[in-house]
Amino acid sequence: VECVSYTPFRGSDTPFDPNYTADPRQIDEDIALISGFARCIRLYAPDQGIDAAVPAAAKRGLKVLLGVWIGSDPVANEKQIALGVSLAKEYPGTIRAMVVGNEVLLRGEQTAKTMAALVRRVKAATGLPVTYADVTDFWLTAPRLLADAVDFITIHILPYWEDDPASAEQG
């Protein structure tokens, strides 16, 4: 497999718990397993201890698509960007590209104009290829300025719900 998305959450772990910190030993074990079948991992955010996945990947020769989580809170966004840029500079041979924002337009938390500006800012700070990730419809309707800002397009294809998620109870 070329690349897989990775999060360390198990059981009732959730990124919505502000006190959650991933166990670096668990991350190392997970990355060791992933290295047996993939060449790359995609991370959605560098906080909550998830940044430990980058040196674990480096140790095993895996590349990383490093995500910075962008939401509606500008202070939290700045922390994400700062940590992502710092990791990119510390692991230039491991981090292959940056993913600035994940389904931010789908959630309605930022505008395409804001996302384009953040993409350009991270690209200038890291010198790495940068993308934004969202579902097909948001790429089809996003202003051209967002497509022009990224180095490659990352599309989420969700055949069961696309941009209209349904709960398990509805299925």
Side-chain angles (χ1 to χ4, degrees):
V1 175
E2 182 60 34
C3 200
V4 296
S5 294
Y6 172 72
T7 63
F9 308 111
R10 294 181 182 176
S12 63
D13 294 345
T14 174
F16 301 111
D17 176 358
N19 299 313
Y20 174 83
T21 301
D23 179 344
R25 291 179 311 249
Q26 174 189 309
I27 288 175
D28 194 61
E29 292 169 4
D30 292 348
I31 301 302
L33 290 171
I34 292 169
S35 71
F37 64 85
R39 293 186 284 257
C40 167
I41 59 170
R42 175 188 174 192
L43 303 176
Y44 291 89
D47 62 342
Q48 295 181 296
I50 300 168
D51 56 328
V54 178
K59 180 168 69 173
R60 293 172 178 84
L62 293 177
K63 297 297 181 186
V64 174
L65 299 178
L66 180 61
V68 291
W69 190 265
I70 302 297
S72 58
D73 180 352
V75 173
N77 294 345
E78 288 303 316
K79 288 179 182 177
Q80 287 282 321
I81 291 168
L83 184 52
V85 168
S86 175
L87 283 167
K89 290 180 178 180
E90 187 175 353
Y91 294 93
T94 299
I95 298 176
R96 182 168 84 183
M98 303 288 290
V99 183
V100 177
N102 185 75
E103 298 181 357
V104 180
L105 298 177
L106 175 66
R107 294 190 312 273
E109 293 179 328
Q110 296 293 337
T111 65
K113 182 178 179 181
T114 298
M115 293 311 303
L118 293 175
V119 163
R120 286 187 179 100
R121 188 171 134 208
V122 170
K123 183 175 181 172
T126 65
L128 290 169
V130 180
T131 188
Y132 166 72
D134 215 319
V135 297
T136 308
D137 284 353
F138 285 89
W139 273 113
L140 293 173
T141 61
R144 182 75 192 173
L145 64 97
L146 182 55
D148 288 344
V150 300
D151 294 295
F152 59 99
I153 292 177
T154 303
I155 297 175
H156 296 162
I157 299 170
L158 310 166
Y160 295 105
W161 62 81
E162 197 58 18
D163 24 319
D164 188 22
S167 70
E169 291 80 24
Q170 292 174 312

